[in-house]
Each structure stands twice: as C-alpha cells, then as structure tokens.
Amino acid sequence: MIDLHCHSTYSDGMLTPQALLEKAEAAGLKMIALTDHDTVAGLDFIASAGLKFNGQIIPGIEISTRFAKHDIHILGLNIQKDCSAMVELIAEQKDKRMSRSLKIADCLSALGIQNAWDKAVAIAGHERVSRPHFARVLMDEEKVKDMKAAFKRFLGRGKPAYVPTEWVSISDAVATIIAAGGDAVIAHPLKYALTQTKLVALITTFKEAGGVGMEVVSGETSPSEADAMAMLCERFNLFASSGSDYHGEGMSRISLGRQRRLPLVCKPIWAQWA
Ligand code: AMP
Ligand code: MN
Ligand code: MN
Ligand code: MN
C-alpha cells in the first residue's frame, strides 16, 4: 500500500507528522507522501526531529492555484523541499493565505462571529490557517453542526464568508515543482465540479506547463470515477497518482492508505522513482 496525499497538523490535518508516520507504519504502508497545503514545515520537522519510518517518505506539497475562478490544487511530489524557488513560492502563498484569512474573519465578524482569526489560529496552532480551521470555529460556536455544513453555509465557493484568492497560477506552481526536481500532479480532479470541457482545458494548461500526473484515485473515488480519470490519463499521456487525502479520523472517510487501487491500465507515478 502507498499513499501519496495526506495532511498533518502543519496544515489542516489532525495528526502530527510523528503520529501520521506511526499510523502509516501500523497500516503497513511502504510509501507515504506528506502533502500539506502550501507548506513543507511538516517535512522540516520530520528531518529536524530525525523521525524514522519503515518505508519511503516522499517529500510533497499541495499547492493552491487559481484557474478560471476555481481553486485548483496541484501536488508537488518527490520535491527538493529546500529549493529556493519553492521557498519563495511558499512565502508568497503564506502572505496570500494570511490576507485571505483576515478577510474571512471580517466576513464572519459581519455575520456575528467575533475574533474568528484568533480562534482559528488557536485551533491550528500556527498562522497558515485553512478553511477547516474556520469551520471548527463555527462548530465550536454552534453555528453549524459539522464541517460539511460550515462549507455549505459559510465557507464554500460563493457563500457569505468565501473570499476569492489570487493564488499562484497553475503554470507558476508547476514550474516551481519542476525547479524543485519534483513531479506535478493534479489533485482530486473531480472535486472542482468542472464541466468536461473545463477539465480538459485545465489538463491542457497543466500539460503545457510541464505537469506529468493526475490523481486517478483520491479519497472516496468510486470505481467508475477512477476509470474515467484513468481514461483521461491515457488520452493526455499522464502518470496516475493515488492518495487518501487523509486529514484525520472523522475528517476523512477513507483512512490513511485505504483508498482503492489504481485501475490496471494506469502508469503509476511512483514506479519511476525507484
Ligand atoms: P483552504 O486551503 O483554506 O482553501 O482549505 C481547503 C481545504 O478545506 C481542503 O483541503 C479540505 O481539507 C477542506 N474542504 C474543502 N471543501 C470542503 C467541504 N465541502 N467540506 C469539508 N472540507 C472541505
Ligand atoms: Mn485540506
Ligand atoms: Mn486538496
Ligand atoms: Mn489535500
């Protein structure tokens, strides 16, 4: 089993990198990529604490990009995390995330939820606040019953506390991943609710920038969805990736490494890393 997409407490996951690696080891994973949102701080921690894993740790990142008014996530896998272009992109994204978070807090304040920024930072334990942290504030204040409702009523695209963000472009994200020696992969292509035409436009832009892979299986992907994504990979000559997008028990229905297997026609992206 392998898992090339998961999150730690350094972004919006519930487990520390250490707990995540312990869980991966207990589950018998032979390869895991930590792919926190717009940060490699969890990988820095793994290195500095000298954490051990009985398998291969693939350094990764999930970069937020903006494409045709959608937030599209691009995974950088097998990256050199200290590459200067990557360090610069991360700093840029951190600023964008910070100003967005303050605007989200303003929106929530206008809706009667005070000090949401401080509360979200307290929950996150860092300032790289993601929308799930604001969702947890809304749950704590009993404005919504769960995470799903928080996105549906407040934080999701087009809702009252949604703040459009000029994340880096797909081409900048892909170029930076390439500069860092990594492979760029489109994360969860079915999560964006794109028409087939827009999905093809996204893949075309991504390919032109030098992207090489797409997640065929991500979290709860069904067999028919995986088959459809596998066909797109064939058509565009992309490698296939596979990950749980695990954020913690209760936050993800598919546990670490428990996503289904890739369809047999796929070319697994990790096969070329050996
Ligand atoms: P952000 O990077 O702040 O835009 O937050 C994006 C994260 O929010 C994603 O990585 C998911 O973890 C989470 N998320 C996005 N949409 C939903 C949703 N509808 N329900 C629950 N969590 C969501
Ligand atoms: Mn997330
Ligand atoms: Mn994502
Ligand atoms: Mn993710």
Side-chain angles (χ1 to χ4, degrees):
M1 277 191 304
I2 61 107
D3 194 334
L4 298 181
H5 187 161
C6 63
H7 296 271
S8 77
T9 44
Y10 282 85
S11 62
D12 56 352
M14 304 293 284
L15 298 186
T16 61
Q18 179 158 11
L20 206 57
L21 291 180
E22 283 166 7
K23 188 174 177 65
E25 207 161 285
L29 295 198
K30 62 175 202 276
M31 186 185 280
I32 183 172
L34 178 59
T35 53
D36 278 316
H37 297 287
D38 302 301
T39 184
V40 294
L43 296 167
D44 290 339
F45 177 78
I46 288 172
S48 65
L51 298 185
K52 294 279 174 277
F53 176 60
N54 197 3
Q56 206 175 343
I57 300 173
I58 302 295
I61 188 167
E62 182 172 17
I63 302 177
S64 311
T65 75
R66 192 77 174 160
F67 173 80
K69 299 197 173 148
H70 288 266
D71 294 330
I72 304 293
H73 290 175
I74 304 292
L75 296 172
L77 297 178
N78 211 13
I79 55 167
Q80 287 151 20
K81 67 177 175 63
D82 298 321
C83 155
S84 61
M86 185 60 74
V87 170
E88 268 173 44
L89 176 137
I90 288 169
E92 192 183 328
Q93 295 280 88
K94 189 179 176 195
D95 290 347
K96 291 172 194 276
R97 187 172 285 280
M98 175 74 89
S99 54
R100 182 190 67 158
S101 297
L102 296 172
K103 287 183 196 157
I104 292 176
D106 284 347
C107 293
L108 291 174
S109 170
L111 296 164
I113 300 124
Q114 305 310 323
N115 302 320
W117 157 253
D118 297 305
K119 291 169 184 167
V121 170
I123 288 170
H126 54 73
E127 292 190 344
R128 293 176 303 275
V129 167
S130 289
R131 284 180 290 166
H133 301 120
F134 284 111
R136 283 163 65 191
V137 172
L138 290 164
M139 287 156 70
D140 288 350
E141 312 249 317
E142 299 187 343
K143 300 287 179 193
V144 292
K145 69 171 187 337
D146 56 22
M147 183 87 49
K148 202 174 157 198
F151 276 85
K152 203 168 169 198
R153 284 187 43 210
F154 292 99
L155 300 164
R157 194 161 173 260
K159 304 300 174 183
Y162 177 75
V163 175
T165 307
E166 285 310 314
W167 299 114
V168 293
S169 65
I170 288 185
S171 46
D172 285 350
V174 172
T176 305
I177 291 164
I178 293 170
D183 288 345
V185 169
I186 298 173
H188 43 66
L190 292 173
K191 278 266 179 81
Y192 312 117
L194 300 174
T195 60
Q196 184 74 5
T197 311
K198 274 206 179 153
L199 180 54
V200 164
L202 161 62
I203 296 172
T204 305
T205 298
F206 171 78
K207 280 279 293 186
E208 280 167 8
V212 293
M214 184 161 77
E215 281 192 317
V216 167
V217 170
S218 168
E220 291 181 71
T221 307
S222 72
S224 63
E225 289 170 336
D227 287 343
M229 294 308 102
M231 276 175 64
L232 276 176
C233 282
E234 271 200 296
R235 175 171 160 199
F236 289 94
N237 193 25
L238 291 168
F239 288 106
S241 192
S242 170
S244 61
D245 204 0
Y246 181 74
H247 284 73
E249 300 307 317
M251 272 182 87
S252 310
R253 244 178 278 177
I254 300 288
S255 193
L256 195 64
R258 298 292 176 174
Q259 75 283 5
R260 73 177 63 257
R261 286 177 161 266
L262 286 179
L264 287 171
V265 294
C266 290
K267 288 184 293 175
I269 192 148
W270 61 92
Q272 25 136 32
W273 297 337

